[in-house]
Amino acid sequence: MTAFFALATSLLWGLADFGGGLLTRRTPALTVVVVSQGIAAAVLGAIVLATGGWSEAGPRLWFAFAAGLVGPAALFSFYKALALGPMGVVSPLATLSVAVPVSVGLFLGERPGLTQVAGIAVAVTGVVLAGGPQLRGAPVQRQAILLTLVAALGFGTVFALITEASTTVTGLFLALFVQRLTSVTTGGIALYASVQRGGEALPAGGFAWTSLPALAFVGLADVAANGTYSVAAQHGPITVAAVLASLYPVVTALAARGLLRERLRGIQAAGAGLALVGTLLLATG
């Protein structure tokens, strides 16, 4: 069960990141974050009302609130990085986020077996190699890398927090709703402050209503990924769930290759292969 939900997390996050990065090339990153997360919050609010999720309110929601504060900064940094640099380079660097939940798992006493340790090493190496040999170069690329590292720290923190936010399915819906509501509020304040300083909230031609379905997909895929990761981490070792969930950059890179025709170099293909081998080791370890 852990492997299934963690791999589903990778697929959802990978597609959400691809969509978010693509949208940010036409729309300011903060606007993409606020609108996509706002749509997700509205859907989650309806689910919470329908399932009676409010009955699960308790102290654990503070973890969801904290995740909601960290999430917008991480998403903004990551979407901005995806807009600046090649997706196939930027996205794999975000796997450094795995260090936070893995460290938490080890601190809590988890001790993965030899096969799982090998799987972790092979999978992380594969995802990093999937980024290709293009890390040096122009100042824009260096800025993209810095933003990605900031995003990775934020994502890892959200991973750790959301796992602690609930212990039941209805409680998870409520936790994700609180997280998204906090994210929208925080992002909205940041967007307002940016506009007050002369920044843009909308592209030159105004809001592209045709992009609304894509924004909805990004927001809903992201929140679904948070949910599947929480389930994976609660039903198995956090160290395994975190590493399998961190394979999402391979999905982003493959989507960029298939839809944007970004060239996939030999080392990137080899990295994707290693990531698959690492996944098999973790799933069978």
Side-chain angles (χ1 to χ4, degrees), residues 86 88-89 130-137 141 145 263-265 267-268:
V89 175
Q134 309 163 31
L135 299 182
R136 61 186 181 279
Q141 288 181 318
I145 291 169
R263 185 184 175 193
L264 194 65
R265 299 190 178 189
I267 191 171
Q268 292 175 298

Side-chain angles (χ1 to χ4, degrees), residues 174-235:
L174 178 60
L176 292 174
F177 173 66
V178 169
Q179 178 195 7
R180 284 317 186 268
L181 199 60
T182 306
S183 294
V184 172
T185 303
T186 304
I189 293 172
L191 181 59
Y192 175 78
S194 174
V195 171
Q196 291 298 106
R197 293 195 303 270
E200 294 184 350
L202 297 173
F207 183 76
W209 290 99
T210 54
S211 67
L212 201 57
L215 287 163
F217 172 78
V218 168
L220 293 174
D222 180 60
V223 75
N226 276 265
T228 53
Y229 175 74
S230 180
V231 173
Q234 289 175 5
H235 289 81

Side-chain angles (χ1 to χ4, degrees), residues 103-225:
S103 297
V104 170
L106 294 175
F107 177 77
L108 294 176
E110 291 185 3
R111 295 296 181 265
L114 185 59
T115 302
Q116 291 176 326
V117 170
I120 290 172
V122 172
V124 173
T125 300
V127 175
V128 172
L129 287 177
Q134 309 163 31
L135 299 182
R136 61 186 181 279
V140 170
Q141 288 181 318
R142 289 196 293 270
Q143 183 184 358
I145 291 169
L146 178 61
L147 286 168
T148 305
L149 294 178
V150 172
L153 177 61
F155 288 150
T157 303
V158 170
F159 292 172
L161 289 170
I162 203 64
T163 303
E164 301 297 325
S166 69
T167 55
T168 64
V169 174
T170 52
L172 178 58
F173 285 135
L174 178 60
L176 292 174
F177 173 66
V178 169
Q179 178 195 7
R180 284 317 186 268
L181 199 60
T182 306
S183 294
V184 172
T185 303
T186 304
I189 293 172
L191 181 59
Y192 175 78
S194 174
V195 171
Q196 291 298 106
R197 293 195 303 270
E200 294 184 350
L202 297 173
F207 183 76
W209 290 99
T210 54
S211 67
L212 201 57
L215 287 163
F217 172 78
V218 168
L220 293 174
D222 180 60
V223 75

Side-chain angles (χ1 to χ4, degrees), residues 5-17:
F5 281 105
L7 290 173
T9 301
S10 290
L11 177 62
L12 290 166
W13 262 327
L15 294 176
D17 287 348

